[in-house]
Amino acid sequence: MSESVNSQLFAGFRAPKEIVFGAGQRRSLPKILNGLGTRVFFCIDPVMASHPDVERLVEDVAANGTDVQKFTEISPELPMQDIAAAVSAAEKHSTEVVVAIGGGSSIDMAKLVSCLLTHPGDVRQYFGEFAVPGPILPIVAIPTTAGTGSEVTPVAVMTDSDNGVKAGVSSPYLIPAVALCDPELTLTCPPSVTAASGADALTHCIESYTAIRRENKPDLLSSRVAIGQSALTSSLALEGVQAISEGLLDAYRNPDDLDARSRVMYGALLGGLAFGTAGNAVAHALQYPVGASTHTPHGVGTGLLMPYVMEYNQQARVPEYAKIAKIVGRAIIEDEVLADEVSEEYRALILASDAEANTSREQEQLAAAAPRLVQQFLSEIKIPSDLSQIGFDPATIGTAAEKGVASKRLCDNNPVPLDVPGAHSILTAAMKGQLSGS
Ligand SMILES: NC(=O)c1ccc[n+]([C@@H]2O[C@H](COP(=O)([O-])OP(=O)(O)OC[C@H]3O[C@@H](n4cnc5c(N)ncnc54)[C@H](O)[C@@H]3O)[C@@H](O)[C@H]2O)c1
Ligand SMILES: [Fe+2]
């Protein structure tokens, strides 16, 4: 660290006022709410609503002298037209605080409910960055997937089915007051949800770790929600890659493995903290049109696309990709199923003490291998490795490339500029399943 503490050092960070992480910590909710309000509106994932731990939690909050109202009509990927019913129920309840229990879709619903209760109107007027006019009701976010990091981020994403796109509200006011992360709540996630949400978390870590570096200007944080890579977010993002690499394969194969679940949820939290300030980039921009046309979960698309976007960005981020290759590569080498898939040559490079110990030529070799290693890792949890496997129509590549590039907020954050031909080339490689690196 001492080498990097110099006049070039820059860091920016936004986060909830309180973050609590640990098995069993959900039980701290009644006490947490004491300081926030007595009329509580719960946005609860429909699957989790009948989970005994969740039922008990709501009962405990009610027994603490709090007026509770539950809302559970929340669909995956959060269709925009479902938001109004939740806002109206929350309004009738004279809500003072909103609690989300669920995956990204439920947490994002809570953010939008809280926003629209405080600033009534059409949600579309808040699309984009900094459009929310002021503070919103406090939110306590309790994730039940290990993925989106929405419990700490300034973003709420919804599906605009009329236009076939994902749309986002991005404002520091949306950051929950409290993130309460209890990995025991993820034990019931089926492998498909563990895989999609875990792949998304890994993508958040990689995209924020390798995002653009902007000039250290005084108005950087006030003019952008996603400011690009900086010291605080980079260290969290890399730690997130580590935690997810250590836990995701076991969490997928053995759903009851609480230790593995904890590592992945911790990695997802770190990914959220990192991208919440740094921002995501092109894997997310291209997932939006791909997800809308194939109706596949967000994390399946981001995980599938990430290796191809890494290949596109590779020359601009050699030391970063070398580090990622070493962490993900080590997880592959140490895994009993995947161990033999790494050649002797790469095994030696990956296991050398740290990335700085590799020569610049070796770093280039590692960086070139990074997309393939990430793809191998994600293939083991059945994330498809090409777009044909999720039914993407090759005739729509041109439209998807245009829609992806139109997500300017995300594309501006990429370390390499993206134009429509660039997006076309990434999608074409992803269609053919062609990664050139070894
Ligand atoms: N706001 C952000 O910062 C942010 C970041 C990334 C993605 N997102 C958005 O989040 C959404 C995806 O969220 P997600 O991946 O968490 O999935 P999700 O919330 O859509 O849930 C996926 C499925 O898993 C089920 N589920 C959730 N928790 C479960 C559990 N513990 N046990 C059993 N089943 C469970 C749900 O019922 C649902 O069927 C997308 O709309 C995506 O665009 C938001
Ligand atoms: Fe994501």
Side-chain angles (χ1 to χ4, degrees):
M1 187 67 194
S2 58
E3 261 181 37
S4 59
V5 178
N6 57 35
S7 60
Q8 298 296 311
L9 184 67
F10 166 73
F13 202 55
R14 304 187 192 94
K17 288 197 185 70
E18 196 171 327
I19 298 174
V20 189
F21 183 98
Q25 280 295 342
R26 63 184 178 282
R27 297 188 196 97
S28 61
L29 180 63
K31 286 233 165 82
I32 285 172
L33 287 170
N34 280 343
L36 294 176
T38 57
R39 300 194 62 82
V40 177
F41 187 74
F42 280 93
C43 292
I44 308 183
D45 179 278
V47 173
M48 294 308 283
S50 55
H51 187 300
D53 288 348
V54 172
E55 284 181 336
R56 166 94 192 270
L57 195 54
V58 177
E59 281 163 22
D60 288 350
V61 169
N64 200 36
T66 304
D67 270 312
V68 304
Q69 172 77 43
K70 286 197 281 183
F71 183 88
T72 62
E73 283 148 49
I74 303 169
S75 302
E77 309 296 312
L78 191 54
M80 191 165 83
Q81 65 272 19
D82 292 0
I83 298 164
V87 176
S88 144
E91 203 164 22
K92 283 198 192 101
H93 184 60
S94 305
T95 299
E96 292 172 357
V97 48
V98 184
V99 176
I101 305 180
S105 302
S106 303
I107 299 174
D108 289 357
M109 175 70 110
K111 289 175 174 175
L112 296 168
V113 165
S114 176
C115 171
L116 292 168
L117 279 181
T118 326
H119 310 288
D122 187 325
V123 69
R124 282 172 287 202
Q125 75 197 77
Y126 303 125
F127 282 0
E129 291 204 337
F130 289 118
V132 177
I136 64 174
L137 291 184
I139 299 165
V140 180
I142 307 179
T144 65
T145 60
T148 68
S150 180
E151 65 273 15
V152 293
T153 72
V155 184
V157 189
M158 71 218 84
T159 304
D160 175 357
S161 315
D162 294 345
N163 296 308
V165 288
K166 275 289 190 99
V169 177
S170 180
S171 158
Y173 292 126
L174 292 194
I175 297 175
V178 183
L180 183 47
C181 310
D182 183 340
E184 285 177 1
L185 291 173
T186 65
L187 289 171
T188 49
C189 283
S192 60
V193 172
T194 304
S197 47
D200 191 31
L202 183 61
T203 307
H204 296 159
C205 294
I206 295 174
E207 293 224 277
S208 52
Y209 184 56
T210 55
I212 196 167
R213 254 177 245 124
R214 292 203 167 81
E215 243 185 282
N216 170 15
K217 285 193 177 155
D219 69 348
L220 186 51
L221 267 94
S222 58
S223 61
R224 289 181 173 274
V225 177
I227 65 164
Q229 186 195 78
S230 80
L232 277 164
T233 56
S234 291
S235 54
L236 294 173
L238 201 58
E239 181 78 19
V241 174
Q242 179 84 41
I244 294 165
S245 301
E246 286 169 357
L248 187 53
L249 300 182
D250 287 337
Y252 179 80
R253 293 172 187 149
N254 311 309
D256 296 335
D257 183 340
L258 181 59
D259 185 57
R261 293 288 195 185
S262 299
R263 284 172 205 270
V264 184
M265 188 173 229
Y266 189 58
L269 169 67
L270 296 177
L273 287 169
F275 96 78
T277 308
N280 283 312
V282 163
H284 274 74
L286 294 179
Q287 187 278 328
Y288 289 152
V290 166
S293 69
T294 58
H295 305 287
T296 44
H298 172 76
V300 168
T302 53
L304 186 159
L305 290 163
M306 189 71 253
Y308 301 97
V309 173
M310 288 172 80
E311 200 152 81
Y312 180 81
N313 291 339
Q314 195 184 306
Q315 287 309 316
R317 286 292 177 266
V318 169
E320 287 86 352
Y321 283 145
K323 284 192 183 165
I324 291 168
K326 288 178 80 87
I327 296 172
V328 178
R330 184 178 280 270
I332 292 175
I333 290 168
E334 289 176 353
D335 183 73
E336 51 191 28
V337 179
L338 293 176
D340 293 338
E341 297 201 8
V342 180
S343 69
E344 275 309 316
E345 184 198 356
Y346 278 105
R347 184 177 286 258
L349 289 179
I350 288 165
L351 297 179
S353 57
D354 60 42
E356 281 76 24
N358 296 110
T359 63
S360 54
R361 169 82 193 108
E362 288 169 346
Q363 286 206 25
E364 273 173 30
Q365 285 176 279
L366 281 165
R372 172 77 67 205
L373 290 166
V374 168
Q375 191 176 64
Q376 264 172 2
F377 183 81
L378 292 177
S379 293
E380 190 55 25
I381 58 166
K382 306 280 184 293
I383 295 295
S385 52
D386 68 67
L387 287 172
S388 68
Q389 292 174 47
I390 59 169
F392 184 75
D393 177 359
T396 61
I397 286 185
T399 330
E402 278 168 23
K403 283 188 178 168
V405 171
S407 289
K408 212 173 157 334
R409 168 177 77 88
L410 290 161
C411 295
D412 278 357
N413 224 30
N414 206 54
V416 178
L418 186 81
D419 52 13
V420 174
H424 207 284
S425 72
I426 294 170
L427 290 169
T428 304
M431 193 72 222
K432 294 181 181 158
Q434 267 177 1
L435 281 177
S436 57
S438 48

